[in-house]
Amino acid sequence: MIRPIIIKLSGICVLSTVLMVLTLSKSRQVMMETESRGSYSKYKTLEINSLPENEIPSKRKFLNVTELKVHKSIPDSIIIGVSKCGTRAMLEYLRLHPDVAALNAEIGYYYNDSMWSRGQDWYISQMPDSEPGQITVVKSPDCFQHQDCAYRIYADNKKTKLLVLLRDPVERLVSQYMQLRDKHDFFPTFEKWIMDDSSDQVNIRVSSVTVSTYAVHLERWLNVFPRKQLHITKSESLRADPLTEMRSVEKFLNITPFYSDEDFYYNASRGFYCVRNRLTWKTKCLGKSKGREHIPVKEDILNKLYAFYRPYNEQLNHLMDIAFDWP
């Protein structure tokens, strides 16, 4: 009779001990989660300097996933252009960053009047879900040359940070020609497309030609936004050294230092860098149309194009106080 009682009491003691350990463990977990949610800035100041740059985690790693409150918002940053200057690569690189919620699709809200008429609430509904601490980034390269974009973006969010990629204007023009030619069954030769038959000069009525007059368009943006809200990236530099350029971008966006050599690898067969997801180790390269070999252009046509763009390039160097070493 005594033995069963002793066994029963022992079982109760063991069960009580297990429950106490579990309770203490749960309390410790809750305490740690609470501390991490309320003390990320403290973590950054006390711990971040002791970590290698490529091991600095996102603050969301310290949050309880079930307590994250996702939301949609007007973009904090927009890649406004320029088309065929590496805007897709920039977006793909930004999507690696844990503090960025990037929209993969392009929505022509700010330059398409029919979309603009749908209103801001509709536009926000198209945005990706962002978590606390994330910024929302979209790509809209056709905004660069559109007359109304700067004013419309400023009206929605005057603190918007603008990312601009610039490339040798002639190379950009050739790249755009190849994209247009691929989309149409019948398309004129490059020379016929960009030259005015009557004057034998560069045809300024071709919109793709005037897109590459960067200074003209940037001057309009600077009439609306302060210079500190525009970040200029040389397309050639992004292609040759994405790590350095993306570290510069994350400083501009004021997000956690994150990028490392692990995020990029050079694909010799494609001739440019591809991305690697650090968590899944999956790799991704841009589409086959990216990095394709350009058509040969006659030397006399090239000379006329470079002569045409040279005054605009000099104006650009003065306007942005950046040296662009294009011919």
Side-chain angles (χ1 to χ4, degrees):
M1 192 70 185
I2 296 177
R3 183 181 176 117
I5 293 175
I6 293 175
I7 294 174
K8 188 174 182 180
L9 289 174
S10 299
I12 293 173
C13 290
V14 170
L15 180 60
S16 299
T17 302
V18 170
L19 289 174
M20 182 174 66
V21 169
L22 290 174
T23 301
L24 289 173
S25 176
K26 180 63 176 178
S27 298
R28 178 177 174 78
Q29 180 184 355
V30 171
M31 180 179 69
M32 290 176 67
E33 289 175 353
T34 303
E35 287 177 353
S36 66
R37 287 196 297 273
S39 305
Y40 178 64
S41 60
K42 181 179 179 181
Y43 161 78
K44 284 171 61 176
T45 56
L46 294 180
E47 303 290 344
I48 206 167
N49 292 330
S50 64
L51 291 173
E53 189 168 78
N54 65 336
E55 292 183 11
I56 296 175
S58 163
K59 55 191 164 187
R60 291 188 313 289
K61 290 182 181 179
F62 294 86
L63 298 176
N64 186 330
V65 176
T66 61
E67 296 180 5
L68 289 175
K69 295 182 179 179
V70 297
H71 67 286
K72 296 178 183 291
S73 66
I74 210 76
D76 300 284
S77 179
I78 301 177
I79 304 173
I80 61 170
V82 178
S83 176
K84 311 312 298 177
C85 290
T87 57
R88 171 54 61 177
M90 174 73 77
L91 185 71
E92 291 299 328
Y93 297 160
L94 282 169
R95 291 178 69 188
L96 292 175
H97 202 295
D99 288 351
V100 172
L103 182 67
N104 187 46
E106 290 183 24
I107 299 178
Y109 175 68
Y110 288 112
Y111 62 83
N112 185 312
D113 290 342
S114 63
M115 287 190 180
W116 175 253
S117 66
R118 298 179 187 182
Q120 189 187 89
D121 288 343
W122 174 84
Y123 183 52
I124 291 176
S125 72
Q126 307 303 303
M127 293 298 104
D129 290 334
S130 59
E131 301 168 3
Q134 282 188 314
I135 63 170
T136 299
V137 179
V138 301
K139 175 171 104 76
S140 188
D142 286 339
C143 260
F144 182 73
Q145 66 268 23
H146 196 279
Q147 294 287 333
D148 297 327
C149 271
Y151 301 99
R152 289 175 174 180
I153 292 173
Y154 189 84
D156 271 357
N157 180 11
K158 63 182 180 181
K159 295 182 179 180
T160 305
K161 293 186 175 183
L162 306 171
L163 295 168
V164 184
L165 293 99
L166 301 178
R167 179 184 186 182
D168 178 318
V170 177
E171 288 189 4
R172 193 213 72 80
L173 182 62
V174 175
S175 181
Q176 188 153 47
Y177 167 79
M178 296 185 68
Q179 181 186 54
L180 292 171
R181 189 187 66 174
D182 288 348
K183 290 182 177 180
H184 299 85
D185 294 333
F186 301 98
F187 207 73
T189 64
F190 180 74
E191 290 78 9
K192 286 187 175 295
W193 180 57
I194 53 97
M195 299 301 294
D196 188 334
D197 290 336
S198 60
S199 64
D200 196 32
Q201 298 298 316
V202 177
N203 191 349
I204 59 174
R205 293 190 298 275
V206 176
S207 60
S208 296
V209 169
T210 57
V211 171
S212 288
T213 59
Y214 304 134
V216 174
H217 304 293
L218 280 171
E219 198 163 27
R220 184 174 62 252
W221 285 91
L222 290 172
N223 285 334
V224 179
F225 284 90
R227 173 66 180 86
K228 65 181 181 180
Q229 285 177 229
L230 274 76
H231 181 82
I232 307 296
T233 298
K234 296 180 182 180
S235 178
E236 297 84 354
S237 299
L238 182 67
R239 179 166 181 161
D241 187 5
L243 176 59
T244 298
E245 293 304 320
M246 293 312 297
R247 282 177 173 172
S248 177
V249 169
E250 67 186 356
K251 287 180 182 178
F252 169 71
L253 296 177
N254 195 29
I255 52 181
T256 309
F258 171 79
Y259 292 107
S260 78
D261 287 323
E262 295 179 344
D263 301 315
F264 310 98
Y265 73 97
Y266 186 74
N267 187 316
S269 63
R270 300 296 300 279
F272 54 80
Y273 280 86
C274 300
V275 298
R276 180 187 292 115
N277 187 304
R278 223 183 286 176
L279 294 177
T280 64
W281 217 242
K282 290 183 178 179
T283 59
K284 180 179 181 181
C285 289
L286 299 177
K288 293 182 179 180
S289 64
K290 310 298 182 181
R292 58 191 164 189
E293 187 176 351
H294 283 179
I295 58 168
V297 180
K298 296 177 182 178
E299 187 174 355
D300 62 321
I301 299 296
L302 282 177
N303 291 336
K304 288 181 179 181
L305 284 171
Y306 280 117
F308 171 78
Y309 285 119
R310 195 164 294 122
Y312 297 105
N313 294 341
E314 292 172 356
Q315 183 183 353
L316 176 67
N317 290 341
H318 176 73
L319 183 67
M320 306 309 295
D321 195 26
I322 298 175
F324 295 92
D325 53 354
W326 303 320

